[in-house]
Amino acid sequence: MMIDDVKPLGGLLASYARPRRADRTSPDRRRRDDVLRANRRTAYMAFAWVMVFLAWHVVWYITGLEFPSASDQHGAGQVVVQVFSLIVVLMVIVGALLPLALAQPWGRRVPRWMLLSAAWTGAVLLAARGVSGVGDDLVRVTGILPKGFTGLTTAQTLGTSHPSFWYLFANGATDVLFTVGGLAFALAAIAYRRVTLGLPHPLGEAAAA
């Protein structure tokens, strides 16, 4: 046997002796990795939404737009503003930490049901605020309900009878932003439920892997 013939044979034997990485990864492990990636991706997307929302409030302040005040409203308008303020407070307190708890190992110290309940509650509140706002804008613009769902005129809702284009745009963008937030937290809740379904500490195991 020639020396040149030994090298290919040795390389062939070595290739059989070293199992490929793909062969060592079972289908179950790949599915688990996909679920973990989806959980991190949706959780960080929800966190990014919170940061965008807070930045949007800074834009409101810089451009001189006023935030709704319950003292300036009456009847249904006052209730709407109070609910809006409550949503904002809850979002600031819980929203900044909740997405991180869904994605990071320290989040497993919090009971699963508590994180899921908070995520779904946030999703429902944000979606309700956003969808109702978008719907109210649409029925006013189309003339189906000139006074919207609240029965208030545009001047009563915005606090001025001659709102600027930026004021109208900012209000509409805020409604859309709330809707996107509801979707982001809903996706994060679904992904977290999948990653923790029947698994005691999946995030911790993933960090250790």
Side-chain angles (χ1 to χ4, degrees):
M1 180 181 296
M2 302 295 294
I3 296 178
D4 292 339
D5 295 332
V6 175
K7 290 183 179 180
L9 179 60
L12 181 63
L13 293 176
S15 65
Y16 281 109
R18 293 194 301 269
R20 295 179 180 179
R21 183 177 181 84
D23 297 334
R24 296 200 303 267
T25 305
S26 66
D28 290 339
R29 180 57 184 269
R30 285 196 295 270
R31 284 194 296 269
R32 180 184 176 85
D33 291 342
D34 290 341
V35 171
L36 285 168
R37 279 193 294 270
N39 176 67
R40 288 192 294 267
R41 187 162 49 244
T42 54
Y44 289 135
M45 181 174 66
F47 180 77
W49 177 88
V50 174
M51 296 299 102
V52 170
F53 184 82
L54 294 177
W56 181 239
H57 277 72
V58 175
V59 173
W60 269 64
Y61 179 79
I62 293 175
T63 56
L65 297 180
E66 296 181 358
F67 293 99
S69 175
S71 61
D72 297 333
Q73 305 292 334
H74 302 282
Q78 188 176 42
V79 174
V80 170
V81 174
Q82 288 174 338
V83 172
F84 170 79
S85 301
L86 178 60
I87 291 175
V88 171
V89 171
L90 290 175
M91 183 180 57
V92 171
I93 296 176
V94 180
L97 293 176
L98 178 59
L100 298 179
L102 296 177
Q104 298 183 4
W106 59 264
R108 71 180 185 273
R109 300 176 183 175
V110 182
R112 175 178 179 271
W113 68 266
M114 187 177 296
L115 291 177
L116 277 176
S117 298
W120 278 118
T121 299
V124 171
L125 289 176
L126 292 170
R129 166 61 179 85
V131 172
S132 63
V134 172
D136 186 76
D137 294 338
L138 289 177
V139 296
R140 288 176 187 273
V141 171
T142 58
I144 297 176
L145 293 174
K147 293 187 177 182
F149 296 141
T150 61
L152 302 173
T153 64
T154 302
Q156 290 174 316
T157 302
L158 300 180
T160 176
S161 57
H162 301 288
S164 64
F165 171 79
W166 169 245
Y167 200 175
L168 293 174
F169 172 81
N171 275 277
T174 300
D175 294 334
V176 173
L177 188 59
F178 270 108
T179 305
V180 173
L183 177 62
F185 273 87
L187 292 176
I190 293 172
Y192 180 75
R193 180 182 181 277
R194 287 185 62 198
V195 82
T196 58
L197 194 62
L199 303 174
H201 301 301
L203 299 180
E205 292 176 6

